[in-house]
Amino acid sequence: SVTYYASNGIYTLDIADVKVLAKTGVKATVADIHTTDTEAAVTLEGILPDGYSAKYAVDGTEVAYADGKITIGALAAGSHTLTISDANDVYAPIQASFYAKEANVPAVYDATEHKIAAADGITEDQLKAYIKTITSVTVGDKTYAASGKGATVIVKEDGTLDSSKLELAEGTKFVVTSSSYDNLEFSYSL
């Protein structure tokens, strides 16, 4: 039970036993992979405590771990979460997010039109779907978030580049980052 002492009396609340799991202080990172990969490298910062019986799961599905890698089945493109939990239920789970990405970017840079255009064999609908997965655009040394608070839209819905807020020169490097595809890199031409 929990007892509260207040200015207008004493209150006692009966609550069920709650077990508080101990933190390990260990952080995990998982390398991004392609959707065709069956393994992902896992790096632990710190050492798991004695008695920590690690169970590994990706998006709730148990996976095997050996030699610093998890073995996974095919994952859909997008964000995924690795959870390392203690089978003994003593320590709190450790989580790390990573991306599974498609290797073939469905877009190319059209230097004549100054826009992102559909790659060979890609439809306009597929291009629009790709543009919706853009998370950031790096122009030179500065990275701009594509959505959320403080976002700066560099790639418009139709693929054109909004350069009104950018200082561009011939050869300025662009890196378009997507949650579902490898990066699209190109040099801007005036």
Side-chain angles (χ1 to χ4, degrees):
S1 67
V2 175
T3 303
Y4 292 98
Y5 295 91
S7 59
N8 59 350
I10 299 174
Y11 299 96
T12 301
L13 303 173
D14 288 326
I15 58 172
D17 289 336
V18 176
K19 183 174 185 175
V20 178
L21 300 176
K23 287 188 173 185
T24 62
V26 174
K27 292 185 180 182
T29 55
V30 182
D32 290 343
I33 61 171
H34 288 124
T35 55
T36 56
D37 293 341
T38 58
E39 292 183 330
V42 177
T43 304
L44 296 178
E45 292 179 29
I47 299 172
L48 294 173
D50 289 338
Y52 192 107
S53 180
K55 290 189 322 185
Y56 294 78
V58 173
D59 301 334
T61 301
E62 196 167 327
V63 296
Y65 173 84
D67 301 324
K69 295 181 181 180
I70 52 173
T71 302
I72 50 177
L75 294 176
S79 179
H80 299 278
T81 302
L82 168 68
T83 302
I84 306 169
S85 56
D86 179 19
N88 298 326
D89 214 21
V90 174
Y91 296 97
I94 302 163
Q95 292 190 323
S97 294
F98 66 100
Y99 286 103
K101 296 185 175 190
E102 295 287 347
N104 297 325
V105 178
V108 294
Y109 172 60
D110 181 340
T112 306
E113 298 289 327
H114 299 294
K115 68 185 287 182
I116 304 295
D120 288 341
I122 300 298
T123 67
E124 286 301 314
D125 286 342
Q126 289 171 315
L127 176 65
K128 286 180 183 179
Y130 163 73
I131 291 171
K132 288 179 182 177
T133 68
I134 295 173
T135 56
S136 67
V137 178
T138 302
V139 181
D141 295 332
K142 185 165 170 75
T143 300
Y144 300 90
S147 62
K149 186 175 182 178
T152 302
V153 175
I154 305 294
V155 180
K156 296 180 183 177
E157 288 182 13
D158 65 353
T160 57
L161 301 177
D162 183 354
S163 59
S164 62
K165 298 173 186 159
L166 306 174
E167 293 181 29
L168 298 174
E170 182 71 31
T172 300
K173 185 175 179 178
F174 277 66
V175 179
V176 180
T177 303
S178 160
S179 62
S180 299
Y181 297 90
D182 278 352
N183 292 346
L184 171 63
E185 298 182 20
F186 59 89
S187 295
Y188 188 80
S189 60
L190 296 175

